[in-house]
Amino acid sequence: MTDITIENIVAYAQISDGLDIKKIAEKSPEFKYNPDEFSGLTLKLDDLKTAVLLLPNGKAICTGAKKINDAEASIKKLVNKIGEIGIKLNKKFKVETQNIIASLDLKKELDLSSISMGLLLENVDYEPKQFPGLIYRMNDIGASLLLFSSGKIICSGTKNIEDASNAIEMMKEKLSSLGVLI
C-alpha cells in the first residue's frame, strides 16, 4: 500500500429491533435530537472524532472513523450510554463496514480528457461541465474512483481497506499503462 489515506469509514450495527428515540433523548442530554430535521439521534464522540446516528429501527451508524476499530469502539460507546439509562439492547450485535473512503495524491497534474479516452468507456463518466472529476467504476470490487486534474484520487464504495487499496493501485497501473505516470 502506498500513501493511501483513509478519509472516512461508515459502519453500522443492529443493536435493537426498535427504539423509543424520544425517550432516549429525554434521559440522555448527550444525544442531539431535532425531530424536524432528522428522525434519529446523533451522538458526537470527540475522543474518537466520530459521530454515531441512532435510528428508531434500532440501527446504529458510525461515520467519521479513520480505523475500523474506531468505528466499532464508537458503536460500543453508544450502546454503553444507552445501557446506562436502563434501555435494553441486543446483547450480541455485529458491526459491519458499509463504506470506506480512501484517497491518494499522485502529486501530479492529470489531463482528464486524455485519460477518459484511454480508459474503457463503459466504466467512465467524464462530463467536466457537470462535475470537475472523472468517475471510474470498478464494478467487480464495488469501487468508484474519482480522479481530479489536481492528481487526487478518491475511492468510495468498498467495504474493506484492502479492496480500497487494491482499487487505487489498479488505477495507478492503468494510468501507468496510459503513460500518465512514469
Side-chain angles (χ1 to χ4, degrees), residues 103-133:
S103 69
L104 173 71
D105 189 348
L106 296 171
K107 297 179 178 20
K108 176 182 174 99
E109 294 281 320
L110 298 176
D111 180 352
L112 298 180
S113 293
S114 296
I115 293 169
S116 70
M117 298 297 181
L119 296 172
L120 296 174
L121 291 177
E122 69 265 12
N123 296 334
V124 175
D125 284 324
Y126 180 57
E127 300 198 27
K129 290 182 181 170
Q130 293 180 6
F131 181 70

Side-chain angles (χ1 to χ4, degrees), residues 1-6 161-162 164-166 169:
M1 185 159 89
T2 55
D3 299 323
I4 294 169
T5 302
I6 303 301
I161 293 170
E162 185 180 353
S165 177
N166 288 341
E169 289 300 323

Side-chain angles (χ1 to χ4, degrees), residues 10-124:
V10 178
Y12 70 93
Q14 190 72 43
I15 62 170
S16 172
D17 294 330
L19 293 166
D20 184 341
I21 296 294
K22 189 174 180 184
K23 181 179 175 183
I24 295 169
E26 288 169 356
K27 288 188 171 196
S28 183
E30 291 179 84
F31 290 94
K32 181 182 171 205
Y33 182 54
N34 187 342
D36 294 334
E37 289 181 21
F38 176 57
S39 64
L41 297 174
T42 305
L43 176 66
K44 289 194 176 197
L45 299 170
D46 292 334
D47 56 335
L48 293 167
K49 296 184 175 99
T50 60
V52 186
L53 309 176
L54 183 61
L55 304 178
N57 67 3
K59 189 179 270 190
I61 303 167
C62 174
T63 185
K66 307 276 188 202
K67 299 177 194 161
I68 291 172
N69 290 348
D70 288 349
E72 292 169 349
S74 296
I75 290 175
K76 285 177 183 167
K77 277 190 171 198
L78 171 115
V79 167
N80 290 339
K81 287 187 184 300
I82 294 170
E84 288 170 6
I85 58 174
I87 294 174
K88 303 272 189 248
L89 300 173
N90 295 341
K91 293 282 185 213
K92 292 185 179 181
F93 57 87
K94 182 180 175 193
V95 177
E96 296 185 44
T97 303
Q98 183 67 38
N99 185 20
I100 293 178
I101 299 171
S103 69
L104 173 71
D105 189 348
L106 296 171
K107 297 179 178 20
K108 176 182 174 99
E109 294 281 320
L110 298 176
D111 180 352
L112 298 180
S113 293
S114 296
I115 293 169
S116 70
M117 298 297 181
L119 296 172
L120 296 174
L121 291 177
E122 69 265 12
N123 296 334
V124 175

Side-chain angles (χ1 to χ4, degrees), residues 166 168-179 181:
N166 288 341
I168 290 174
E169 289 300 323
M170 288 172 18
M171 178 51 69
K172 283 177 61 182
E173 288 172 20
K174 287 180 186 294
L175 294 173
S176 289
S177 70
L178 295 172
L181 300 179

